[in-house]
mmCIF file of all heavy atoms in Angstrom:
data_model
loop_
_atom_site.group_PDB
_atom_site.id
_atom_site.type_symbol
_atom_site.label_atom_id
_atom_site.label_comp_id
_atom_site.label_asym_id
_atom_site.label_seq_id
_atom_site.Cartn_x
_atom_site.Cartn_y
_atom_site.Cartn_z
ATOM 1 N N LEU A 27 106.954 -28.022 64.888
ATOM 2 C CA LEU A 27 107.502 -27.271 63.765
ATOM 3 C C LEU A 27 107.983 -25.908 64.301
ATOM 4 O O LEU A 27 108.999 -25.358 63.825
ATOM 5 C CB LEU A 27 106.230 -27.006 62.748
ATOM 6 C CG LEU A 27 106.715 -26.343 61.484
ATOM 7 C CD1 LEU A 27 107.905 -26.995 60.710
ATOM 8 C CD2 LEU A 27 105.544 -26.160 60.542
ATOM 9 N N HIS A 121 119.100 -21.456 53.031
ATOM 10 C CA HIS A 121 120.106 -20.628 52.295
ATOM 11 C C HIS A 121 121.376 -20.303 53.155
ATOM 12 O O HIS A 121 121.485 -19.170 53.535
ATOM 13 C CB HIS A 121 119.639 -19.348 51.791
ATOM 14 C CG HIS A 121 118.513 -19.371 50.633
ATOM 15 N ND1 HIS A 121 117.847 -18.435 50.269
ATOM 16 C CD2 HIS A 121 118.081 -20.481 49.934
ATOM 17 C CE1 HIS A 121 116.881 -18.769 49.324
ATOM 18 N NE2 HIS A 121 117.053 -20.055 49.191
ATOM 19 N N PRO A 137 132.156 -37.081 49.787
ATOM 20 C CA PRO A 137 132.132 -38.002 50.928
ATOM 21 C C PRO A 137 133.487 -38.069 51.709
ATOM 22 O O PRO A 137 134.142 -39.196 51.688
ATOM 23 C CB PRO A 137 131.731 -39.330 50.280
ATOM 24 C CG PRO A 137 132.371 -39.295 48.896
ATOM 25 C CD PRO A 137 132.344 -37.860 48.542
ATOM 26 N N ASP A 152 119.132 -28.874 39.303
ATOM 27 C CA ASP A 152 119.787 -27.726 38.569
ATOM 28 C C ASP A 152 119.004 -26.442 38.682
ATOM 29 O O ASP A 152 117.686 -26.415 38.723
ATOM 30 C CB ASP A 152 119.920 -28.091 37.107
ATOM 31 C CG ASP A 152 121.002 -29.184 36.906
ATOM 32 O OD1 ASP A 152 121.893 -29.204 37.806
ATOM 33 O OD2 ASP A 152 120.942 -29.818 35.882
ATOM 34 N N SER A 161 105.477 -25.227 37.016
ATOM 35 C CA SER A 161 105.908 -26.346 36.090
ATOM 36 C C SER A 161 107.226 -26.902 36.600
ATOM 37 O O SER A 161 107.725 -27.946 36.209
ATOM 38 C CB SER A 161 106.279 -25.612 34.748
ATOM 39 O OG SER A 161 107.217 -24.714 34.875
ATOM 40 N N GLN A 163 107.713 -28.029 39.622
ATOM 41 C CA GLN A 163 107.427 -29.017 40.700
ATOM 42 C C GLN A 163 107.789 -30.426 40.254
ATOM 43 O O GLN A 163 108.186 -31.078 41.085
ATOM 44 C CB GLN A 163 105.942 -28.848 41.169
ATOM 45 C CG GLN A 163 105.620 -27.579 41.850
ATOM 46 C CD GLN A 163 104.209 -27.633 42.431
ATOM 47 O OE1 GLN A 163 103.188 -27.945 41.807
ATOM 48 N NE2 GLN A 163 104.124 -27.098 43.635
ATOM 49 N N THR A 228 129.742 -47.274 54.726
ATOM 50 C CA THR A 228 129.420 -46.186 55.777
ATOM 51 C C THR A 228 127.994 -45.584 55.447
ATOM 52 O O THR A 228 127.193 -45.349 56.369
ATOM 53 C CB THR A 228 130.482 -45.039 55.714
ATOM 54 O OG1 THR A 228 131.774 -45.628 55.966
ATOM 55 C CG2 THR A 228 130.217 -43.978 56.790
ATOM 56 N N PHE A 240 116.385 -41.360 62.813
ATOM 57 C CA PHE A 240 117.120 -40.109 63.242
ATOM 58 C C PHE A 240 116.199 -39.187 63.956
ATOM 59 O O PHE A 240 115.081 -39.077 63.720
ATOM 60 C CB PHE A 240 117.661 -39.474 62.005
ATOM 61 C CG PHE A 240 118.852 -40.175 61.342
ATOM 62 C CD1 PHE A 240 118.782 -40.852 60.214
ATOM 63 C CD2 PHE A 240 120.127 -40.120 62.023
ATOM 64 C CE1 PHE A 240 119.852 -41.492 59.712
ATOM 65 C CE2 PHE A 240 121.196 -40.754 61.539
ATOM 66 C CZ PHE A 240 121.079 -41.435 60.310
ATOM 67 N N GLY A 241 116.812 -38.480 64.929
ATOM 68 C CA GLY A 241 115.951 -37.522 65.778
ATOM 69 C C GLY A 241 115.258 -38.061 66.906
ATOM 70 O O GLY A 241 114.774 -37.427 67.847
ATOM 71 N N ARG A 250 114.220 -29.619 75.467
ATOM 72 C CA ARG A 250 114.567 -29.223 76.747
ATOM 73 C C ARG A 250 115.510 -27.952 76.591
ATOM 74 O O ARG A 250 115.424 -27.022 77.359
ATOM 75 C CB ARG A 250 115.247 -30.341 77.504
ATOM 76 C CG ARG A 250 114.428 -31.514 77.827
ATOM 77 C CD ARG A 250 114.902 -32.405 78.877
ATOM 78 N NE ARG A 250 116.215 -33.044 78.435
ATOM 79 C CZ ARG A 250 116.321 -34.188 77.821
ATOM 80 N NH1 ARG A 250 115.128 -34.828 77.456
ATOM 81 N NH2 ARG A 250 117.347 -34.707 77.475
ATOM 82 N N ASP A 256 113.802 -20.290 75.866
ATOM 83 C CA ASP A 256 112.643 -19.464 75.613
ATOM 84 C C ASP A 256 111.437 -20.415 75.226
ATOM 85 O O ASP A 256 111.608 -20.796 74.118
ATOM 86 C CB ASP A 256 112.814 -18.382 74.607
ATOM 87 C CG ASP A 256 111.608 -17.564 74.237
ATOM 88 O OD1 ASP A 256 110.607 -17.718 74.888
ATOM 89 O OD2 ASP A 256 111.669 -16.824 73.295
#
Side-chain angles (χ1 to χ4, degrees):
L27 183 57
H121 292 168
D152 288 337
S161 64
Q163 290 188 316
T228 306
F240 286 107
R250 292 194 298 271
D256 178 7

